[in-house]
Amino acid sequence: MSGSTVPIGGIHHVTAIAADPQRNLDFYAGALGLRLVKRTVNFDDPGTYHLYYGDGAGSPGSILTFFPYVGAHQGRHGVGQAAETRFAVPKSSVGHWVERLMRHHVTADGPAPRFGDGAPVLSFRDPDGLMLELVGLDEPGGGAVGWDGAPVPAEHAIRRILGVSLWLESYDRSAALLTGPMGFRAVAEEGDRHRYAGPGAAEVELRCAPGFWPGAMGAGTVHHVAFRVPDLAAEEAARVTLAREAGLDVTPVLDRQYFRSVYFREPGGVLFEIATDPPGFAADEPAEALGLSLKLPAWLEPRRETIERRLPELHAPVRR
Ligand code: ZN
């Protein structure tokens, strides 16, 4: 690999699979207090929702998205997958979260310190078994937390996605990709866990589990991890660097309506995406109305009636 670095600015979003859309909405927009910032469909399968959650403004870096397939079979956690997704919260808010999760009947482990850096971690799972962590940080980063009707007081709200951990058969080639073209650096190592810090205060942890069974996609598993770039020119540059210099099989740039994307599998088998910050989630509805109605891309608008009839109804979660 030569010395070019992709101009990554941190995590853009994480996309996972769920079974029941209402249960998914109740958990993320209810218990976790994220904002539903986009209600749309899987563009490749418009019979299924694509739900986007994030901070008050739907800022890149705060976004967790789901394909909730009604009756989806359960996935299996294993190697070649992103496993835990970590959110940054203010360290002083961890007590609030212990109490809030309990009140929402979410069983959490912790708060326990990780890697000896003093940051308290609460570990729990969503209703489909997706592994999540809230990490209390003195400087959690992120922004735009408040909006009208936010269920969690702004000072305690989830700020952003801090990072993910990948479960891998072996980590050296994935580590070389991160510390080479992706601009991360090794910061800590503990047993089989290797932690890397990257641009935008993002963290990726590689967990080496040789001989562990391979992961299988399904409800409760991460589908892919997206990293952000500032614009289309950076996206094109990233594509060239990753394909030509790192020898990865990278897709052409795809229009994802709220960002432009390329996809590739990192050497350990995890699907990565590079997504642009623009145009963002206010591209097709006003910022104050994010997530309130079903948005479709222009090419699916002619089929709106059929699509709406097939999708299950969704109700805003009860606020508590
Ligand atoms: Zn994506």
Side-chain angles (χ1 to χ4, degrees):
M1 284 178 200
S2 90
S4 295
T5 304
V6 176
I8 283 173
I11 304 276
H12 186 287
H13 65 267
V14 172
T15 292
I17 314 236
D20 183 277
Q22 184 66 55
R23 190 172 68 169
N24 183 257
L25 180 67
D26 288 344
F27 184 80
Y28 287 96
L32 293 195
L34 296 171
R35 185 174 188 182
L36 177 67
V37 294
K38 194 62 64 183
R39 183 189 301 225
T40 184
V41 293
N42 181 341
F43 296 163
D44 304 319
D45 174 13
T48 303
Y49 279 116
H50 192 179
L51 303 178
Y52 290 74
Y53 304 96
D55 67 10
S59 311
S62 72
I63 306 294
L64 183 61
T65 99
F66 286 89
F67 295 123
Y69 295 99
V70 175
H73 66 86
Q74 192 65 34
R76 181 181 64 199
H77 299 129
V79 296
Q81 267 184 348
E84 295 90 353
T85 300
R86 308 201 159 99
F87 297 103
V89 296
K91 197 172 183 177
S92 55
S93 298
V94 171
H96 173 89
W97 280 102
V98 169
E99 190 270 335
R100 183 172 177 84
L101 292 176
M102 211 180 288
R103 186 149 41 86
H104 284 263
H105 310 290
V106 178
T107 308
D109 285 336
R114 52 159 207 173
F115 271 134
D117 67 359
V121 181
L122 282 172
S123 309
F124 53 98
R125 295 184 178 221
D126 84 354
D128 289 297
L130 189 72
M131 291 182 276
L132 303 171
E133 291 182 346
L134 294 180
V135 181
L137 298 175
D138 290 322
E139 290 176 35
V145 281
W147 71 95
D148 274 355
V152 174
E155 73 262 34
H156 299 310
I158 288 174
R159 298 301 181 86
R160 64 184 177 98
I161 293 181
L162 173 63
V164 291
S165 67
L166 312 185
W167 289 4
L168 303 172
E169 180 70 28
S170 65
Y171 79 98
D172 34 345
R173 287 194 306 145
S174 301
L177 172 67
L178 284 176
T179 57
M182 293 186 69
F184 282 66
R185 61 182 205 286
V187 290
E189 200 178 316
E190 194 177 275
D192 62 352
R193 302 157 66 129
H194 306 258
R195 203 206 300 173
Y196 300 84
E203 285 184 6
V204 173
E205 188 179 297
L206 304 183
R207 294 189 72 168
C208 208
F212 196 55
W213 55 66
M217 205 63 77
T221 64
V222 171
H223 187 268
H224 64 266
V225 180
F227 298 87
R228 60 194 284 204
V229 288
D231 52 34
L232 200 51
E235 176 95 327
E236 298 284 6
R239 191 170 181 277
V240 168
T241 300
L242 293 165
R244 284 196 201 147
E245 297 182 19
L248 294 160
D249 191 6
V250 187
T251 67
V253 176
L254 300 173
D255 181 356
R256 291 325 204 183
Q257 192 78 356
Y258 309 107
F259 38 86
R260 304 286 177 272
S261 298
V262 297
Y263 301 83
F264 59 97
R265 287 206 185 269
E266 60 80 41
V270 181
L271 187 61
F272 276 8
E273 173 183 352
I274 308 282
T276 58
D277 282 0
F281 295 100
D284 61 356
E285 59 189 338
E288 61 275 12
L290 289 175
L292 294 180
S293 57
L294 181 74
K295 304 309 290 184
L296 296 175
W299 73 88
L300 287 177
E301 265 313 332
R303 294 165 60 193
R304 175 177 281 272
E305 210 181 316
T306 314
I307 289 171
E308 283 186 337
R309 201 170 45 230
R310 285 185 188 160
L311 288 170
E313 260 186 74
L314 278 183
H315 309 280
V318 177
R319 206 177 151 202
R320 61 196 170 104

